[in-house]
């Protein structure tokens, strides 16, 4: 595993600004989404297809609230440099889901969904050195043989 000295953040100033803005977005929309889970999703008088989809999610009884809680936690973790790499990975499934959602359902929210996913993708690029050990091959482990002499596998 690479030591913390070998891990660096690419484009550190851009990464910091993007991380803080993305954290604010996740934290704010996470709190708002939890409110929708408790109070109900606001829909138009004649519900359109998007409203019907959100009503169906709301009728599950828990999905909207837990998505909001997850976004709030990920956004909160993203404020701290030590937990930022974890928070970025936590937010990737949400950002990808929102990208698909705005492409296929809610075209009017493309102006929010595309930058949301772009920020997550940029942050993954910037923090990729932190994720490199995930993709590394197995490291040699030394095991003592019958005589007590250590041999690397």
């Amino acid at each position: 595993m690479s030591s913390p000295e070998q891990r660096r953040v690419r484009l550190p100033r851009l990464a910091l600004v993007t991380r803080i803005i993305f954290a604010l977005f996740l934290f704010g929309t996470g709190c708002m989404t939890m409110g929708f889970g408790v109070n109900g999703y606001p829909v138009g008088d004649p519900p359109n297809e998007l409203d019907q989809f959100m009503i169906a999610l709301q009728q599950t009884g828990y999905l909207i609230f837990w998505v909001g809680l997850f976004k709030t936690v990920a956004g909160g973790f993203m404020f701290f440099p030590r937990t930022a790499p974890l928070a970025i990975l936590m937010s990737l499934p949400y950002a990808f889901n929102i990208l698909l959602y705005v492409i296929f359902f809610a075209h009017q929210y493309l102006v929010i969904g595309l930058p949301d996913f772009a920020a997550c993708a940029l942050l993954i690029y910037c923090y990729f050195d932190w994720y490199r050990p995930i993709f590394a091959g197995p490291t040699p482990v030394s095991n003592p043989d019958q005589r007590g002499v250590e041999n690397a596998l």
Side-chain angles (χ1 to χ4, degrees):
M1 186 166 154
S2 63
S3 65
E5 296 84 33
Q6 295 173 339
R7 297 178 186 163
R8 65 180 181 87
V9 178
R10 300 173 185 167
L11 307 169
R13 290 183 182 153
L14 179 63
L16 176 67
V17 170
T18 305
R19 181 172 57 89
I20 296 301
I21 291 172
F22 193 44
L24 287 169
F25 173 78
L26 285 175
F27 193 82
T29 59
C31 292
M32 181 183 69
T33 305
M34 283 192 302
F36 290 157
V38 172
N39 301 324
Y41 188 79
V43 295
D45 188 15
N48 60 16
E49 295 162 349
L50 176 62
D51 291 339
Q52 291 173 356
F53 178 74
M54 294 308 292
I55 290 170
L57 286 178
Q58 180 181 341
Q59 288 175 346
T60 63
Y62 64 92
L63 185 61
I64 297 294
F65 177 80
W66 291 109
V67 168
L69 181 65
F70 189 78
K71 285 168 48 178
T72 304
V73 169
F77 281 172
M78 209 171 289
F79 284 116
F80 305 103
R82 186 179 185 112
T83 56
L86 173 64
I88 295 165
L89 284 184
M90 287 172 63
S91 66
L92 179 62
Y94 159 76
F96 184 69
N97 188 5
I98 290 301
L99 178 68
L100 295 177
Y101 176 74
V102 298
I103 288 174
F104 295 116
F105 288 114
H107 305 294
Q108 67 268 28
Y109 297 116
L110 278 170
V111 71
I112 296 171
L114 291 176
D116 180 33
F117 181 76
C120 189
L122 175 69
L123 288 171
I124 286 176
Y125 169 75
C126 291
Y127 282 85
F128 193 76
D129 287 345
W130 290 81
Y131 309 130
R132 192 173 303 277
I134 296 171
F135 303 109
T139 58
V141 178
S142 61
N143 289 333
D145 63 4
Q146 295 172 350
R147 296 172 297 185
V149 179
E150 290 189 17
N151 295 322
L153 294 177

